[in-house]
Amino acid sequence: MGSIRSIRFKLGALVGAVAAFAVLAAAGMVLAVGATDRALEAAIAAQRRLDLLTEASARLSEFGITAVVDADHPTADPERVASARDRVVAVLDTVAGESPEGLTAAEAASQGRARLLAHLKADFTLLDRQISRARANPDTARRSDAVRGALNAFAAAAGPVLSVLVESERRAVGEARDEARALSTRLRYGAVALAVLVLAVAVVLHRTLARPLLDRLRQIDRAAGAIGSGVLDTRLAIGSRDELGLLMAKFNRMAERLARRARKVAADRAVLERTIAERTADLTAANTRLAAIDASRRRFFTDVSHELRTPLTVIIGECDVTQRAPAIPEDLTRSVLATIRKRAARLNRRVEDLLRIARSESGEIELVFQDVPLRPLLQEAVASFETPARRARVALVLEAEEPGPLVHADREWLRQVVEGLIDNALRHGAPLSRITVRQLIAADGIVIAVEDDGSGIPPEQRSGLFERFARGAASAHSGFGLGLALAEWVVTQHGGRITLEDNTDGGGQGAGLRVVVTLPLPHEAPRPMGEEETP
């Protein structure tokens, strides 16, 4: 257990050493700052006292001059002497209040600073009394001589005292400065010594603690990089059984597991690649078969369309000829042949729709744009589903004002779109009772709306209906109506848009659905763009 804790012990020792040096440096800094502050305070205090003594000397001189002038000129302002005396007293009191900071008690006692200041104040008090008595003398000459005599006596007594005080404060300032310089020198030496000691200890700690740990960590880093590069046979020399030794042992076990898994993954990949190759071959063969079947289906639709169009063309032509023959009774001929032609034309249109769907699936759609009356187109679409609607007991209604607008469109494709929407409503809207085809002119274009009152389509399912091959709910009806994906592509080629909405006006059994086709006005419609990619 002792070996397991070796790294923690080393790190603890390293942290302890750093903390000890930090505490030592902080303590030294605090002591150095305190000593520096005391030296500076002593120097500043001595300089302040020296300045005060210099000011006291100046105030005493000012007082003497004022007293002499007042004695020679008794008519002068008597308050000047009192003001000068007050200033001297204030300065002497300030000097007496300054404590000799930075000096020991023995030095203060040896200098007798307090005694000298008391003697100086006593001499000044005596001088003030003598000048006051001399100013009371009415004789100007005697008054002047008395004042000068008092001043001379004060100068003789106080001059040496003041010189001693000034000199002592000058020495105090010099000593404080010398002490500050000596302290600065000691601090520099101490800082250098501490830096050398810290550097030496750091080198020792690095060699004994940090560098071995860093070397082993670098080995782990290089081994991890090799493992990451795919060299899975990389292993580490464990060495001492400390935390890093245990980590290296776990690293080696991990590398071994990774190597085993890599070998297993390689074997599984080989099996998977063989399986993919086999399935790809199967899918290729299936796609080939499906392509052949699809080509056959498209050929069937094309052949059926062509085979049906030929007799229908003959029937329509014969009907036209018969209608023009004068020998047949007109009332019978016209009615019968008109019905025959109408049915044949409808069958021909259905064959054209079948051929159009086949071409759309083979990518051969070509749109022929022209100005088309919209109302007759909608009437044809509605008429095509009157019988299925009547059979399903659904009212199929066209609401379009006459004569109706013109649209610039491919007539047959646009008719097929509307028929596909009606067919979708019949097949997928049950239960429903009414389908309404509306023609409107809105601000943004011409609107064709196919509305039903059936079960509707949930909003979350509507966007998916425009995807290729998407189908709605299963229905029992059959037919070859136009899917919404192809319808959307046709409407987009016309410069319009198609949307699905809730039929809020539906009064049937469900909420109903409203399919809105918006086409641009004729002057805004796109010109034919040639062959386009089908959806």
Side-chain angles (χ1 to χ4, degrees):
M1 197 63 181
S3 61
I4 295 299
R5 295 179 179 175
S6 60
I7 291 182
R8 279 177 283 180
F9 172 78
K10 293 175 183 178
L11 293 178
L14 181 60
V15 172
V18 172
F21 280 115
V23 171
L24 180 61
M29 182 64 68
V30 170
L31 294 176
V33 169
T36 303
D37 288 342
R38 288 193 297 273
L40 290 176
E41 287 174 0
I44 292 171
Q47 184 64 45
R48 186 168 57 249
R49 291 194 301 271
L50 181 60
D51 293 339
L52 289 174
L53 290 174
T54 303
E55 184 180 359
S57 177
R59 295 303 181 188
L60 288 173
S61 299
E62 179 185 2
F63 176 78
I65 294 172
T66 303
V68 171
V69 172
D70 182 77
D72 292 338
H73 303 280
T75 59
D77 186 8
E79 296 296 329
R80 290 190 304 171
V81 177
S83 178
R85 180 183 62 251
D86 292 339
R87 286 194 290 272
V88 173
V89 172
V91 171
L92 291 178
D93 290 338
T94 303
V95 173
E98 290 290 328
S99 61
E101 297 175 2
L103 299 177
T104 62
E107 290 172 337
S110 64
Q111 292 179 0
R113 180 177 180 280
R115 180 176 57 79
L116 293 176
L117 284 174
H119 187 273
L120 181 62
K121 292 179 68 174
D123 289 342
F124 178 75
T125 301
L126 178 62
L127 173 64
D128 182 56
R129 291 175 182 174
Q130 291 175 350
I131 290 176
S132 298
R133 287 195 299 269
R135 290 177 62 195
N137 194 336
D139 187 358
T140 301
R142 291 182 179 180
R143 182 171 63 248
S144 178
D145 291 341
V147 169
R148 285 182 171 82
L151 289 172
N152 291 333
F154 175 78
V161 174
L162 189 60
S163 298
V164 171
L165 288 173
V166 170
E167 184 63 26
S168 74
E169 296 302 338
R170 286 178 179 171
R171 286 197 303 272
V173 170
E175 291 172 358
R177 290 177 178 174
D178 294 338
E179 183 178 356
R181 283 193 292 270
L183 179 60
S184 176
T185 301
R186 290 195 299 272
L187 288 177
R188 284 196 295 270
Y189 289 155
V192 171
L194 182 60
V196 172
L197 179 60
V198 169
L199 182 61
V201 173
V203 170
V204 172
L205 291 177
H206 175 74
R207 288 181 175 275
T208 57
L209 299 180
R211 189 166 68 179
L213 293 177
L214 293 176
D215 291 338
R216 299 172 72 185
L217 289 175
R218 278 193 291 269
Q219 294 176 13
I220 296 175
D221 180 71
R222 287 193 295 268
I227 293 291
S229 301
V231 185
L232 300 181
D233 58 348
T234 303
R235 299 295 182 269
L236 290 171
I238 296 177
S240 58
R241 291 185 55 80
D242 52 14
E243 291 87 348
L244 281 180
L246 295 178
L247 178 61
M248 289 177 174
K250 292 179 181 179
F251 182 93
N252 291 338
R253 289 195 294 272
M254 177 199 69
E256 181 61 30
R257 287 195 297 269
L258 286 176
R260 288 198 300 268
R261 290 180 182 178
R263 291 190 293 269
K264 186 176 183 301
V265 166
D268 293 340
R269 180 183 298 172
V271 174
L272 180 60
E273 289 176 351
R274 288 194 300 271
T275 303
I276 291 175
E278 294 171 358
R279 297 297 182 269
T280 302
D282 295 340
L283 288 175
T284 302
N287 286 334
T288 303
R289 291 193 297 273
L290 288 175
I293 294 172
D294 185 67
S296 299
R297 181 181 60 83
R298 287 199 299 269
R299 284 195 301 272
F300 167 77
F301 276 110
T302 303
D303 294 340
V304 169
S305 300
H306 284 290
E307 292 295 330
L308 289 177
R309 288 181 66 189
T310 301
L312 285 174
T313 302
V314 174
I315 292 172
I316 294 172
E318 291 297 326
C319 289
D320 291 339
V321 171
T322 305
Q323 280 182 319
R324 289 193 294 268
I328 302 175
E330 183 176 354
D331 54 349
L332 178 62
T333 303
R334 299 297 179 184
S335 176
V336 172
L337 294 181
T339 302
I340 294 174
R341 189 181 191 288
K342 181 180 179 181
R343 297 301 180 182
R346 182 176 297 178
L347 182 57
N348 182 68
R349 190 164 57 247
R350 285 302 181 190
V351 172
E352 290 288 348
D353 293 341
L354 184 61
L355 182 59
R356 190 174 295 110
I357 295 298
R359 288 176 178 173
S360 72
E361 293 183 352
S362 61
E364 300 176 359
I365 295 180
E366 293 183 0
L367 301 181
V368 180
F369 287 87
Q370 56 185 340
D371 290 335
V372 178
L374 184 57
R375 179 180 169 80
L377 184 150
L378 297 180
Q379 287 176 331
E380 290 183 15
V382 171
S384 298
F385 286 90
E386 286 179 348
T387 300
R390 189 165 49 251
R391 188 182 302 116
R393 297 181 180 180
V394 175
L396 182 57
V397 181
L398 172 63
E399 295 184 2
E401 296 182 357
E402 294 184 356
L406 295 176
V407 292
H408 190 74
D410 183 304
R411 187 183 190 284
E412 295 306 319
W413 271 112
L414 185 58
R415 176 188 57 77
Q416 183 67 28
V417 168
V418 177
E419 290 183 357
L421 298 180
I422 298 173
D423 182 54
N424 286 338
L426 283 172
R427 290 190 292 124
H428 304 296
L432 77 163
S433 61
R434 180 185 178 91
I435 298 175
T436 304
V437 180
R438 300 183 190 273
Q439 167 196 301
L440 304 170
I441 298 180
D444 56 347
I446 300 172
V447 175
I448 302 171
V450 179
E451 305 171 353
D452 66 68
D453 58 356
S455 58
I457 299 175
E460 63 273 9
Q461 298 180 9
R462 293 174 185 172
S463 60
L465 295 178
F466 289 100
E467 297 177 2
R468 189 65 169 161
F469 306 120
R471 296 180 58 88
S475 174
H477 296 276
S478 61
F480 52 90
L482 197 65
L484 284 178
L486 183 56
E488 183 184 36
W489 182 86
V490 172
V491 172
T492 302
Q493 294 304 305
H494 283 73
R497 64 182 183 276
I498 181 170
T499 57
L500 302 181
E501 304 172 358
D502 287 328
N503 183 17
T504 55
D505 297 332
Q509 303 177 26
L513 185 67
R514 185 171 188 256
V515 185
V516 180
V517 175
T518 305
L519 299 174
L521 297 172
H523 63 279
E524 299 175 351
R527 299 293 97 186
M529 296 179 294
E531 186 174 341
E532 299 286 346
E533 182 184 354
T534 60

